[in-house]
Amino acid sequence: MSSAIVPSIAFVAGLPKAELHLHLEGTLEPELKLELARRNGVDIGQSTVEQVRATYEFDSLASFLGVYYPAMDVLVTEADFYDLATAYFRRAAADGVRRVEAFFDPQAHTSRGIPIETVILGYHRAAVDAAGLGVSAELILCFLRDFTAESALETLQSALPYLDRFIGVGLDSDERGNPPAKFAEVFALARANGLKLTMHCDIDQVGSIENIRQVLEEIQVDRIDHGTNIVENPELVTLVRERGLGLTCCPVSNSFVTADMKAVEMVALLHFGVLVTVNSDDPAYFGAYVADNYLALAEKAGLDTDELVQLAKNSFQASWLPDAEKQAYLAEIDAYVAGYPAA
Ligand code: ADE
Ligand code: ZN
């Protein structure tokens, strides 16, 4: 019986899991930021790890994004994107991550004059090499929702020659005044090109419920990023459960950009049978990789081991892996729990 096991960082870090809500640009640790700044001769205004960390002051999505985008100036060459993603994949492997479907923000780079090819090839090379770490990795190209719909369309057109290097599209950045319907055309084009669809429905936004309705009814997404505000609307909860759509929740991130981790909401949805998953979002900024997020939620909500195991199983169920691979990972979870602790 797994419930005899006490939730601990050792148990959680060994539990096979998928990470489905992870921004590669959000994995830029201060040490690597300083190294890339030196490598590329970019003046970032700080020269020590402590100074970089001191700039990580945010209490809302907007104030977080205000720190997040300028930091990307240090990413210039294909090797920089490769090194960033590889550092994350190594860290994720240590947290028991066996599958990653990772976001990247091409417009945050093309708007600075970096060719999209540089970004995609660097990240993709790292994703291929992640197999050597025991991590199956794929990429999700995100559009910045505070840029225009035309810019999103141009971005997708310019990425189409690399269609074999990413599996889906997403939508991130500042939700205020930028509803899902603004991007209906580009998401339809992505779907027509065989890509999976997901969108951020950030926590406690003005119009959260209407935006979630749009992603479900108008865009017809395959997954929702965050999205815990559905708890306010029983019809949406039922719809998400019936469609078997994953919610990619990020407890520690929530506690930075809102006043609350939203643990109560996540657990209510989990118990109702919604495919709730736990993820790290931007771990270098929020100081918590995915195993820390499982444990933070467990401590806050008093989860037992069975509930943690359910969250890990949900992460594979909500992934975009072929069914046979999902089943193999679910069997690995069962074997891990049955053999825990290893002799
Ligand atoms: N970009 C990186 N992290 C994000 C988040 N949590 N919400 C919206 N855009 C983001
Ligand atoms: Zn996010």
Side-chain angles (χ1 to χ4, degrees):
M1 258 308 272
S2 60
S3 51
I5 302 167
V6 178
S8 67
I9 193 68
F11 173 75
V12 168
L15 187 60
K17 60 181 76 62
E19 177 140 62
L20 307 177
H21 188 150
L22 180 281
H23 300 262
L24 285 171
E25 290 85 358
T27 69
L28 182 58
E29 291 286 351
E31 292 82 356
L32 182 59
K33 184 178 179 186
L34 289 167
E35 184 187 327
L36 295 178
R38 269 192 296 274
R39 191 191 283 181
N40 294 314
V42 176
D43 180 5
I44 57 167
Q46 304 105 33
S47 55
T48 68
V49 167
E50 293 69 33
Q51 287 169 354
V52 174
R53 280 199 210 287
T55 67
Y56 291 4
E57 283 248 350
F58 21 76
D59 57 7
S60 65
L61 180 58
S63 60
F64 162 67
L65 295 173
V67 174
Y68 181 67
Y69 292 117
M72 297 180 200
D73 285 353
V74 301
L75 293 162
V76 180
T77 67
E78 190 262 7
D80 300 339
F81 291 97
Y82 176 87
D83 289 349
L84 174 64
T86 297
Y88 162 69
F89 291 132
R90 287 198 183 115
R91 182 65 185 77
D95 264 10
V97 174
R98 307 296 309 280
R99 167 74 173 180
V100 180
E101 296 173 6
F103 301 133
F104 69 108
D105 283 345
Q107 290 156 295
H109 313 297
T110 54
S111 61
R112 303 181 286 116
I114 310 292
I116 196 165
E117 179 186 41
T118 302
V119 182
I120 293 179
L121 295 187
Y123 282 152
H124 184 258
R125 189 161 64 86
V128 170
D129 288 354
L133 301 164
V135 178
S136 151
E138 297 286 355
L139 300 173
I140 300 172
L141 182 156
C142 284
F143 307 109
L144 299 185
R145 66 198 310 160
D146 44 355
F147 283 32
T148 63
E150 292 71 33
S151 173
L153 214 41
E154 280 164 22
T155 302
L156 182 58
Q157 302 279 14
S158 65
L160 287 180
Y162 309 101
L163 209 45
D164 57 338
R165 291 178 172 87
F166 59 102
I167 59 167
V169 295
L171 185 70
D172 60 10
S173 202
D174 197 349
E175 188 164 331
R176 230 174 351 173
N178 299 298
K182 172 178 166 185
F183 298 95
E185 188 183 350
V186 71
F187 273 72
L189 179 64
R191 172 78 85 207
N193 278 280
L195 293 162
K196 293 282 194 183
L197 312 184
T198 188
M199 283 186 168
H200 276 56
C201 291
D202 263 291
I203 309 293
D204 294 346
Q205 296 291 302
V206 175
S208 270
I209 291 295
E210 167 57 17
N211 288 355
I212 295 171
R213 191 198 61 74
Q214 288 180 14
V215 304
L216 291 168
E217 290 175 7
E218 297 179 31
I219 311 294
Q220 306 241 348
V221 290
D222 300 296
R223 203 154 67 206
I224 299 178
D225 301 312
H226 298 297
T228 46
N229 284 85
I230 60 166
V231 84
E232 297 159 20
N233 184 314
E235 281 171 27
L236 290 181
V237 175
T238 301
L239 187 60
V240 166
R241 186 180 65 176
E242 279 173 2
R243 285 196 196 166
L245 289 179
L247 291 192
T248 65
C249 301
C250 308
V252 177
S253 164
N254 293 348
S255 64
F256 274 86
V257 301
T258 75
D260 189 35
M261 194 182 278
K262 305 296 180 191
V264 169
E265 290 81 348
M266 283 174 211
V267 173
L269 291 166
L270 179 72
H271 289 167
F272 196 72
V274 172
L275 219 43
V276 170
T277 69
V278 170
N279 307 271
S280 68
D281 206 0
D282 302 285
Y285 291 89
F286 304 135
Y289 284 80
V290 67
D292 306 318
N293 273 270
Y294 274 70
L295 205 60
L297 180 63
E299 282 173 0
K300 183 86 178 181
L303 297 187
D304 63 20
T305 307
D306 289 336
E307 289 163 315
L308 290 172
V309 169
Q310 186 62 52
L311 288 165
K313 288 188 172 178
N314 285 357
S315 71
F316 290 110
Q317 293 286 17
S319 77
W320 293 334
L321 282 164
D323 212 47
E325 287 181 50
K326 285 186 187 178
Q327 296 310 322
Y329 284 116
L330 295 178
E332 272 189 43
I333 293 179
D334 287 336
Y336 172 75
V337 175
Y340 190 87

